Amino acid sequence: MTAEAPHAATGPTTGKSPSGPPASRPPGPPPALLHRSLARALPVSPAVVLLLLFLAGPIAYCAFIAFTDLQLTGQAEESFVGFDNFRTAFGDEAFLNAVWMTLVFTVISALIGQNTLGLALAALMQRASKPVRTLVGGIVVTAWVLPEVVAGFLLYAFFRREGTLNAILEWLRLPTQNWLFTLPILAVSFANVWRGTAFSMLVYSAALNEIPKEITEAAQVDGAGGWRRMWHITLPMIRRSIGTNLMLITLQTLSVFGLIWVMTRGGPGGKSQTLPLFMYEEAFQKSMIGYGTAVALLLLVVGSLFSVVYLRLLRTEV
Amino acid sequence: MARSLATRRSSHRLAADAGLLVVAAAFVLPLVWVVLSSLDTGADLRVKVPDGITLDNFDAVLTPEITFTPLLNSLLLCGGGTALTVVCAALAAYPLSRFRSRFNRPFLLTILFATSLPITAIMVPVYALFVRVNLIDTMQGTIFFFAASQLPFAIWLMKNFMDGVPKELEEAAWTDGASSLQSLVRIVLPLMGPGVAVVTVFSFVMMWGNFFVPFMLLLTPDQMPASVSINDFFGNRGMVAYGQLAAFSIVYSTPVILLYVLISRRLGSGFALGGAVKG
């Protein structure tokens, strides 16, 4: 920090302050101005350094090693292999399976599960009595706040052969099965719904609260039923929230690792192996860092595309 | 008309209450299980009334090796990471909020873009990079990465909160000769106390629950935070002691739940979403 900064910051009054620039100054950017922008840039620098070294750096490094055959062991130098890793990936059935699993996981758990359930909960909460609202909100948010691994462990217990779900099914005299073995991708998707719905619920509650009461009441007096009001009035009014919410939960779901790792390790036989787990297995269990990183790069590119769309949705905000 | 609307409304309320309670029942089962199992000597995988309520499970896990060391490691990692994040974010947010510059918009857009990148994807290259620069298996390396990964969102939130503090109050201090740093620390940050608290708690909670980052970057068992050490219960011990695992889960989760309750009471439940998801 310098003494100049506070005076400079007051803008128009700069010239009048005693330590301001002299009345006559040489042509070109005045030194005080340069000084001022430096003083203003200084506080940003720790953050920028951290971001460059530990975020932008790894991303750049990712883009580099994805094109090499870097391995963990038995190799002195990696060499540049061009697009080989990507060519291998698209010919690799395990990779294509992971892409498919990621798609299934994201569509079922985020786009359908979290999004719809979150909206439904938020809409019901608008009408529910206060104690019920508080109770339900508390339960759903607790699931969200729990650490990822704990959530994974709780749902692992829920879906195990000896677990609570089968106990309930038995009690209802319905057929039971070993969920983590027969339908692992559904089990982990449900787990992600359990853990993530609170986010959508909070986003939609905030959005619904901003709709003026008069509008829905007017429609109600005009005889529009609940579903019609939802479809023709509420949904169009919160469409921007829907867009941003879908974008964010998709991105969160794309990077889920711990939850699936704890519940199934991606198994059995890759039946719940999404891209992050595939990436981890190739890079570490098979020591193919280059190949694993190529997968990571693809994931990052998909994420960036979503991120850009998200920015466009928000473009008026910045 | 008014009366029929009123009766319709109360029947709607009943239907809404019933619907919510059904969903809540499904959501609460795993939570009920973990609480009951932690108090049960013969805990297994399903929800059941304990054979006899006991604190033996807590007794068994509350040892330095199982609980205290991992929790202390978590505290060091997340405390360090959070402190670094909050300090850097507050410093960075100040000029972004206070001064107009043609760099602000591109910088903020980059930050916002980075908030939604899937960090999971870069863990493999981060590992490779950390091996190269000898940061692998170090607390400080992990803290730096934690801070960097949380910074974009922290800067964004901090800037939005800071925008809410009127500039006039600072101008008075400036004329009295205070520097920017002084006015940030003495005037702006105290006035946005709840905002700083939100950024702090949010960063801490995110790091506390994070599994993948320490799982990748730390190797030595006695440096592991609780998010990774909980895996040992599943490890090669054969029989899993579910009651103890449940007790550990509760001990490990309690701090973040308390922090969340503390902060959401003050700021309304939508706090964490701040400016980032305004539709």
Side-chain angles (χ1 to χ4, degrees), chain B residues 181-259:
Chain B
L181 187 62
Q182 282 171 330
S183 71
L184 172 65
V185 173
R186 298 254 174 86
I187 299 168
V188 183
L189 290 180
L191 282 173
M192 53 179 281
V196 177
V198 167
V199 178
T200 310
V201 168
F202 188 80
S203 305
F204 189 84
V205 169
M206 293 310 281
M207 293 176 197
W208 189 263
N210 192 302
F211 164 73
F212 204 27
V213 171
F215 179 65
M216 294 285 288
L217 300 183
L218 295 173
L219 312 168
T220 322
D222 55 346
Q223 291 201 56
M224 291 300 177
S227 60
V228 183
S229 76
I230 190 174
N231 250 313
D232 293 349
F233 282 97
F234 285 101
N236 31 24
R237 293 189 190 173
M239 269 297 284
V240 182
Y242 290 110
Q244 294 182 17
L245 183 43
F248 180 78
S249 298
I250 289 178
V251 172
Y252 165 43
S253 307
T254 307
V256 286
I257 293 179
L258 288 183
L259 277 176

Side-chain angles (χ1 to χ4, degrees), chain A residues 73-274:
Chain A
T73 46
Q75 184 199 34
E77 277 283 294
E78 78 272 10
S79 55
F80 206 64
V81 294
F83 283 93
D84 272 9
N85 286 327
F86 298 95
R87 235 171 270 137
T88 315
F90 285 102
D92 181 353
E93 255 177 51
F95 170 78
L96 296 177
N97 170 66
V99 171
W100 174 239
M101 285 303 146
T102 310
L103 209 64
V104 172
F105 181 61
T106 310
V107 170
I108 295 183
S109 69
L111 298 187
I112 299 176
Q114 292 181 7
N115 184 53
T116 324
L117 190 58
L119 180 59
L121 288 176
L124 286 175
M125 279 183 169
Q126 299 277 309
R127 294 168 173 188
S129 56
K130 192 158 190 289
V132 172
R133 198 162 56 207
T134 314
L135 175 75
V136 177
I139 291 169
V140 175
V141 168
T142 304
W144 181 53
V145 180
L146 281 185
E148 190 178 15
V149 181
V150 172
F153 162 58
L154 294 192
L155 274 298
Y156 164 85
F158 185 75
F159 282 109
R160 275 288 296 249
R161 186 190 281 287
E162 317 82 34
T164 304
L165 178 59
N166 277 344
I168 296 171
L169 291 175
E170 264 168 35
W171 187 68
L172 294 171
R173 313 205 177 257
L174 289 169
T176 64
Q177 52 187 312
N178 191 353
W179 298 98
L180 292 173
F181 199 78
T182 49
L183 289 166
I185 192 70
L186 267 189
V188 294
S189 298
F190 182 88
N192 195 38
V193 171
W194 187 79
R195 184 171 140 76
T197 296
F199 183 82
S200 301
M201 182 186 83
L202 293 174
V203 171
Y204 287 135
S205 292
L208 292 179
N209 278 333
E210 277 179 20
I211 296 181
K213 275 236 152 46
E214 301 81 52
I215 296 182
T216 39
E217 271 168 11
Q220 198 170 4
V221 172
D222 288 347
W227 290 112
R228 283 188 59 189
R229 283 205 306 278
M230 189 75 184
W231 190 253
H232 290 290
I233 296 167
T234 312
L235 287 182
M237 287 194 77
I238 61 167
R239 66 178 187 283
R240 273 167 57 87
S241 296
I242 298 177
T244 43
N245 183 52
L246 284 177
M247 209 53 61
L248 289 172
I249 59 178
T250 304
L251 283 160
Q252 284 160 10
T253 304
L254 275 183
S255 39
V256 170
F257 180 89
L259 194 67
I260 304 180
W261 178 257
V262 171
M263 288 178 71
T264 66
R265 306 265 140 122
K271 279 204 288 178
S272 60
Q273 190 177 50
T274 56

Side-chain angles (χ1 to χ4, degrees), chain A residues 1 6 9-10 40 43 54 128-129 141 149 153-154 162 164 194 199 202 248 251 255 257 265 284 296 307 310 318, chain B residues 17 27 45-47 91 95 99 105 113 116 120-121 127 145 174 178 181 212 216 230-231 245 260 273 276-277:
Chain A
M1 281 308 120
T10 52
R40 287 177 182 183
F54 292 96
S129 56
V141 168
V149 181
F153 162 58
L154 294 192
E162 317 82 34
T164 304
W194 187 79
F199 183 82
L202 293 174
L248 289 172
L251 283 160
S255 39
F257 180 89
R265 306 265 140 122
F284 291 100
S307 208
Y310 169 58
V318 184
Chain B
D17 284 354
F27 265 84
L45 283 169
R46 50 186 59 177
V47 174
L91 286 173
F99 311 129
R105 200 180 139 81
F113 174 75
S116 34
T120 305
Y127 174 88
F145 184 74
W174 287 336
L181 187 62
F212 204 27
M216 294 285 288
I230 190 174
N231 250 313
L245 183 43
Y260 184 90
L273 312 167
V277 291

Side-chain angles (χ1 to χ4, degrees), chain B residues 17-202:
Chain B
D17 284 354
L20 281 176
L21 288 174
V22 169
V23 178
F27 265 84
V28 86
L29 279 174
L31 297 172
V32 170
W33 175 79
V34 76
V35 173
L36 291 181
S37 299
S38 72
L39 300 171
D40 188 347
T41 37
D44 59 19
L45 283 169
R46 50 186 59 177
V47 174
K48 65 177 170 75
V49 181
D51 307 331
I53 289 189
T54 161
L55 291 176
D56 286 357
N57 291 321
F58 286 95
D59 247 7
V61 296
L62 287 177
T63 66
E65 191 207 345
I66 300 178
T67 301
F68 298 126
T69 309
L71 283 186
L72 187 67
N73 289 337
S74 288
L75 198 65
L76 280 175
L77 278 178
C78 308
T82 303
L84 199 56
T85 307
V86 172
V87 170
C88 291
L91 286 173
Y94 186 69
L96 289 170
S97 166
R98 283 328 195 219
F99 311 129
R100 300 189 147 273
S101 153
R102 66 200 140 98
F103 297 112
N104 281 7
R105 200 180 139 81
F107 186 80
L108 281 170
L109 282 175
T110 314
I111 288 294
L112 196 54
F113 174 75
T115 56
S116 34
L117 281 182
I119 295 296
T120 305
I122 61 167
M123 287 320 293
V124 173
V126 167
Y127 174 88
L129 201 63
F130 270 37
V131 169
R132 230 162 239 203
V133 297
N134 268 328
L135 275 175
I136 201 74
D137 199 24
T138 62
M139 283 292 209
Q140 67 272 28
T142 313
I143 288 174
F144 281 135
F145 184 74
F146 258 148
S149 63
Q150 203 52 52
L151 253 179
F153 192 59
I155 295 178
W156 180 253
L157 272 184
M158 195 75 95
K159 191 240 167 210
N160 281 346
F161 284 123
M162 216 175 264
D163 286 346
V165 178
K167 208 171 162 178
E168 289 73 31
L169 294 161
E170 267 168 285
E171 282 168 356
W174 287 336
T175 36
D176 290 345
S179 74
S180 294
L181 187 62
Q182 282 171 330
S183 71
L184 172 65
V185 173
R186 298 254 174 86
I187 299 168
V188 183
L189 290 180
L191 282 173
M192 53 179 281
V196 177
V198 167
V199 178
T200 310
V201 168
F202 188 80

